[in-house]
Amino acid sequence: MLSGAQDRFYAAPGNPGIADHAECVDLDVSNHAVVIQFCRENDIGLVVVGPEAPLVDGLADSLNSVNVPVFGPSQAAAQLEGSKGFTKDLCERAGIPTAGYVRTRSLAEATEALDKFEAPYVLKADGLAAGKGVVIAETRAIAAEALTGMFSGQFGTAGEEVVIEEFMRGEEASFFALTDGTTIIPFGSAQDHKRVGEGDTGPNTGGMGAYSPAPVLTAELEREVMERIITPTVETLRGEGTPYSGVLFAGLMLTDEGPKLIEYNCRFGDPECQVLMTRLQSDLGETMLACASGALSGAHNAAFDEATALTVVMAANNYPGTPEKGGSIHLNEAESAGAKVFHAGTVRTEDGGLAVNGGRVLNVTASGVNVTAAKAAAYAAVEKIDFASGFYRSDIGWREVEREAGSAA
Ligand code: AMP
Ligand code: GLY
């Protein structure tokens, strides 16, 4: 929920979905002067920086320097997403549970470091690589080949350093928290489906579907995550003079030894955001403004609907490779039974229709009393949509659906 205190919303660049709620503006967000000028001309009271690249590029610092409130961390604090090595070192300093690791800066160093690990080998380009910088290599030969690719510029400057990690076993879940640098409020949990294919097979994607909450993250585990992972992260960054404000999205592995951090993102995930927002009942604008202005307090506790929200991503053919663009989409009556269709890579055609303009195109989202019910409602909406040049996974939520069937039996 977003309060009516704000009467005007702008989205840059936006898409035909958000155009129903905000004016879409074509701003070059890599040009900070242009963004500042826009904020001044339009009397902007809060800027929410969605993606990681402009945060790592210091957009929040530029806006803060001219007193425009920003929801999102400074360049220094955004290193939590911008550099895997930075985060691993921070975990070590703060005693945060995570996989053992070595940072390497050359192929020779990395190859030698492989001796310290066992298969499967986890290799990560240090910098931002649009979610493609992680390789899990089953054998040493595959690891050596992947390292050669990384150090020969496959990921550009992101691969100048490679972090090699111990492989963690367990189930993955995501946990969210909002902070102004001092006060922290938990902001729910979710589970994503990263692989493109049914049954979690095929290449990794940005996410093919998600649900919230994630029942595997019990209240007790959430407390443990807050105490052992989130709080020490926020306190360490503040203590070192680079306080973090905004949303912390912790990717977790639930291991036999307890939850361990896989990685941090400094944004709401996609499609995790869609399911979190579907459940949110308290005022997001007010809470984000409090984060931006250092005024978050216990009074801002986020309230979520107890129902489960589940979203199915409809993607363009060939995603996560180069997506087939231009195909037409008809939403028909998809939203008639209470579902919500969030747009991603869509564009308005000249005749007012909708066409494909990106890899992940629609997020068809619905709620239910549990994952099984939310899944049924979301797929009922998916089936109403005509999207001939796209595809979707039909098993979003499968782990939880199996568990729910087990506990009903
Ligand atoms: P990341 O971009 O760091 O989230 O990594 C992408 C995916 O790789 C994660 O969602 C996990 O599925 C997997 N992964 C990353 N690090 C590890 C690890 N140390 N052990 C096991 N799996 C991992
Ligand atoms: N869905 C994972 C992410 O946004 O990074």
Side-chain angles (χ1 to χ4, degrees):
M1 174 183 140
L2 208 48
S3 83
Q6 302 87 2
D7 53 5
R8 279 177 297 141
F9 295 99
Y10 298 92
N15 64 31
I18 205 165
D20 287 341
H21 310 277
E23 184 179 327
C24 296
V25 287
D26 190 18
L27 277 184
D28 174 8
V29 298
S30 67
N31 186 335
H32 298 186
V34 165
V35 181
I36 289 170
Q37 191 189 351
F38 179 86
C39 291
R40 287 196 165 131
E41 282 170 3
N42 294 284
D43 195 20
I44 298 298
L46 177 67
V47 176
V48 179
V49 183
E52 66 281 15
L55 291 166
V56 171
D57 185 41
L59 181 59
D61 307 70
S62 298
L63 290 166
N64 277 321
S65 73
V66 294
N67 297 319
V68 175
V70 184
F71 179 81
S74 67
Q75 182 167 45
Q79 286 300 300
L80 272 191
E81 180 162 359
S83 164
K84 308 249 183 216
F86 172 91
T87 300
K88 299 301 283 189
D89 286 353
L90 180 121
C91 287
E92 193 164 80
R93 289 199 298 287
I96 293 167
T98 187
Y101 71 105
V102 178
R103 297 177 74 164
T104 65
R105 293 200 61 90
S106 71
L107 181 57
E109 206 187 333
T111 308
E112 200 186 311
L114 287 180
D115 289 341
K116 301 194 182 85
F117 296 86
E118 289 169 6
Y121 299 92
V122 180
L123 316 170
K124 301 185 176 183
D126 180 72
L128 293 182
K132 302 195 172 83
V134 176
V135 174
I136 314 270
E138 292 299 332
T139 66
R140 194 170 165 129
I142 297 171
E145 193 185 312
L147 286 173
T148 305
M150 286 177 166
F151 280 108
S152 60
Q154 178 189 1
F155 298 113
T157 54
E160 282 173 0
E161 180 173 333
V162 173
V163 176
I164 305 179
E165 286 185 17
E166 169 202 353
F167 182 80
M168 297 186 283
R169 281 171 214 283
E171 183 165 340
E172 282 182 56
S174 305
F175 180 76
F176 301 80
L178 302 186
T179 178
D180 63 354
T182 305
T183 302
I184 310 167
I185 61 173
F187 203 71
S189 63
Q191 278 185 301
D192 188 11
H193 299 64
K194 285 181 199 274
R195 304 295 196 95
V196 75
E198 307 281 319
D200 295 333
T201 54
N204 266 331
T205 68
M208 293 299 292
Y211 52 88
S212 172
V216 282
L217 267 183
T218 58
E220 193 184 326
L221 282 177
E222 287 197 358
R223 268 195 299 279
E224 190 177 338
V225 171
M226 279 294 282
E227 193 179 304
R228 300 189 62 201
I229 298 179
I230 306 289
T231 304
T233 300
V234 170
E235 286 182 353
T236 302
L237 286 172
R238 186 178 71 244
E240 293 176 351
T242 51
Y244 186 98
S245 73
V247 56
L248 271 176
F249 162 177
L252 303 169
M253 190 70 83
L254 306 179
T255 74
D256 291 343
E257 297 161 348
K260 294 189 180 180
L261 182 73
I262 302 173
E263 61 155 4
Y264 272 125
N265 296 311
C266 54
R267 53 189 169 81
F268 293 107
D270 178 7
E272 289 87 340
C273 186
Q274 290 83 317
V275 284
L276 286 173
M277 295 305 144
T278 299
R279 295 181 52 229
L280 186 66
Q281 291 176 320
S282 51
D283 191 321
L284 179 66
E286 196 186 295
T287 308
M288 288 196 296
L289 194 56
C291 288
S293 48
L296 196 65
S297 71
H300 291 99
N301 263 344
F304 287 98
D305 189 346
E306 278 178 21
T308 296
L310 183 143
T311 190
V312 177
V313 171
M314 299 183 81
N317 283 343
N318 205 39
Y319 176 77
T322 308
E324 191 182 314
K325 292 190 186 177
S328 65
I329 304 163
H330 296 279
L331 299 181
N332 303 319
E333 298 300 309
E335 293 189 331
S336 62
K340 170 82 190 160
V341 181
F342 293 103
H343 292 223
T346 64
V347 68
R348 204 48 86 196
T349 54
E350 275 175 16
D351 60 3
L354 270 185
V356 179
N357 193 36
R360 290 183 294 166
V361 181
L362 301 172
N363 304 268
V364 184
T365 313
S367 300
V369 290
N370 57 16
V371 175
T372 308
K375 179 183 178 195
Y379 281 103
V382 164
E383 278 157 21
K384 293 185 181 148
I385 296 174
D386 294 323
F387 181 0
S389 63
F391 72 98
Y392 56 88
R393 272 180 64 166
S394 66
D395 64 344
I396 300 304
W398 67 271
R399 283 174 195 279
E400 212 48 56
V401 168
E402 276 179 12
R403 281 193 281 254
E404 285 170 1
S407 64

